[in-house]
Amino acid sequence: MIIPGANRRTVRFKLPHSSLYIVPSVIALVLLGFFVTIYFMNTRSHQTRNSMQQAFDGQERQLVDQITHKTSEIEQLQSDLIDLAQQADEFKVKLEEIKKLDHVIELMSQPENINGTSKKLSSSAPLKGSNLDVGGSDVPVTSQEVSSLVSDTKQGLFSLVDDINALLDHLTESEAKIKEANRIASITPTLWPIASHSITSGFGIRIDPFTFKPSMHTGYDLDGELNDPVYVTAAGKVIEVGYDDEHGNHIIVDHSRGIETEYMHLNKMLVKRGESVTKGQQIGLVGSTGRSTGSHLHYEVHKSGVPIDPKPYLITDRKDERK
C-alpha cells in the first residue's frame, strides 16, 4: 500500500504469497554474486601482485648480480690499469737502456781514425731496479684518481709510441752507418802484410843499397823468411799481377777511394788479376825477386797514385786481421 498524501488516493498492490520467497532469494543471489565477484577479483589481484612481486624480486636479484659483476669488472679494470701504468714505467726504463745501446751503436758506426782510436762512451750511472718491498694503508681510490691515472697512462703511452718510432728510425740510420763503417774498415789497409813487424828500411830518403847514393824509398821493407805468408791488408780488387826487374814478382790491389797497396819481391803469387780479395787473405809468399838483396817484403801504400808513408795505416796486428 502506498499513501501519497491526505488529498490523494491510496494505491494498493497485491503480491502473491510466493513473492515472499522469490524476492529474498533474488536478493541473496545478487549479494552472493557480488561477493563471489569480489572474491575472484581479490584472488586474481593477489595472484597478479604475487606474480609481479616475484618478477620484481627476480629482476632485483638480476640487477644486484649485474651490479656485483660490474663492480668486480671495474675493480679488475682498475687493477689492470695500475699494472699497465707500472708496465709503462718499466718500459720507459727499458727504452732508456735501448737509447743508451743506440748511442753505443752510433759510436760503433764511426770508423776508427788513422791512429786506431775512436770516441769512447762515457760511463753512466746504472739504472735503479724496482723495489719489491712495499707496504702502506689500504685506501680505496677515488674516481678522480682513476681518471687522472688513465689520462697520465694514456699520455705516457702516446709519448712512448713517439719515442719508439723515433728510436726505430734512428736505429735504422745507425744500422746503415754500421754497415758503411764496416765496409770502410774492410777496404782500409790497416793490417800488417806479414807476421813480422821488423822494418829493415823505412819510408823516405835513404842510401840506395846498390848505388850507395841517396834515393827515395817509397815504402817499407819488412824482414821475413823465404815463403812466409803475405796477406792483403784490406779488401779490394787485384789490378796487377806481374814481374819486372825492379819490383820482381809483385801484386797491386785497388781498395777504392783512391787507395792502392803494392806487394813486391814475392817468391810466389797466389792470386790473379781481376780477382776480388778479402781483408787478411793470403795472396803470396815472401821472396827476393827483382832488385832485392835478400828475403823481405817491400810494401807500399798509394793514395791517388802517389806513394805515401804506410806507418799511419799499420795499426792492426795479425790476430785482429778478421775484425
Side-chain angles (χ1 to χ4, degrees), residues 4-260:
N7 298 323
R8 295 186 181 183
R9 188 172 58 132
T10 299
V11 179
R12 293 174 180 270
F13 293 95
K14 186 177 181 179
L15 298 174
H17 289 285
S18 58
S19 62
L20 295 175
Y21 304 102
I22 294 174
V23 172
S25 298
V26 171
I27 294 173
L29 288 174
V30 171
L31 291 175
L32 179 61
F34 175 75
F35 286 118
V36 168
T37 302
I38 292 176
Y39 173 77
F40 280 110
M41 289 179 65
N42 287 336
T43 301
R44 183 176 293 276
S45 175
H46 181 70
Q47 291 176 349
T48 303
R49 186 169 60 251
N50 288 340
S51 177
M52 292 178 64
Q53 184 65 40
Q54 291 176 358
F56 177 77
D57 292 341
Q59 292 179 354
E60 184 180 16
R61 284 193 300 269
Q62 186 177 3
L63 288 175
V64 170
D65 292 340
Q66 290 179 352
I67 292 173
T68 303
H69 181 67
K70 294 298 181 183
T71 302
S72 176
E73 287 183 345
I74 291 174
E75 292 176 351
Q76 183 63 41
L77 288 174
Q78 290 176 348
S79 177
D80 293 342
L81 178 61
I82 294 173
D83 290 341
L84 179 61
Q86 292 175 348
Q87 291 175 5
D89 291 337
E90 293 175 1
F91 191 80
K92 288 179 182 178
V93 175
K94 295 297 182 182
L95 186 60
E96 291 301 320
E97 294 178 355
I98 295 174
K99 287 181 179 179
K100 291 183 179 181
L101 179 60
D102 177 55
H103 183 55
V104 174
I105 293 174
E106 184 177 4
L107 293 180
M108 290 173 59
S109 68
Q110 298 175 359
E112 293 184 341
N113 61 25
I114 204 66
N115 295 319
T117 59
S118 61
K119 295 181 180 179
K120 302 296 182 182
L121 176 65
S122 60
S123 60
S124 57
L127 295 174
K128 295 182 179 180
S130 58
N131 186 4
L132 299 180
D133 298 328
V134 295
S137 302
D138 183 13
V139 180
V141 296
T142 63
S143 59
Q144 183 178 1
E145 292 171 337
V146 173
S147 298
S148 177
L149 180 60
V150 170
S151 178
D152 293 343
T153 303
K154 184 178 180 180
Q155 186 63 34
L157 290 176
F158 283 146
S159 177
L160 281 176
V161 170
D162 293 338
D163 289 344
I164 290 172
N165 289 333
L167 182 59
L168 288 175
D169 292 339
H170 197 269
L171 285 173
T172 301
E173 294 176 0
S174 297
E175 182 182 9
K177 289 179 181 178
I178 288 178
K179 289 181 178 179
E180 178 62 15
N182 288 337
R183 187 188 72 83
I184 293 175
S186 70
I187 62 176
T188 302
T190 58
L191 299 181
W192 286 79
I194 61 175
S196 171
H197 291 188
S198 176
I199 302 172
T200 57
S201 183
F203 180 87
I205 298 175
R206 70 171 182 175
I207 299 298
D208 187 274
F210 291 95
T211 65
F212 302 104
K213 296 179 180 180
S215 66
M216 182 64 185
H217 191 231
T218 55
Y220 273 11
D221 286 340
L222 302 176
D223 188 24
E225 299 296 330
L226 185 65
N227 291 328
D228 279 350
V230 176
Y231 306 95
V232 65
T233 56
K237 185 176 182 180
V238 178
I239 60 173
E240 185 173 332
V241 176
Y243 174 87
D244 59 49
D245 293 337
E246 186 170 329
H247 298 161
N249 292 324
H250 63 278
I251 300 171
I252 299 179
V253 179
D254 180 17
H255 306 289
S256 71
R257 300 197 305 159
I259 301 295
E260 296 176 354

Side-chain angles (χ1 to χ4, degrees), residues 269-286:
M269 298 174 289
L270 304 178
V271 292
K272 298 178 180 180
R273 183 178 179 181
E275 182 177 342
S276 295
V277 291
T278 59
K279 192 170 188 175
Q281 178 181 335
Q282 185 177 349
I283 59 174
L285 301 176
V286 171

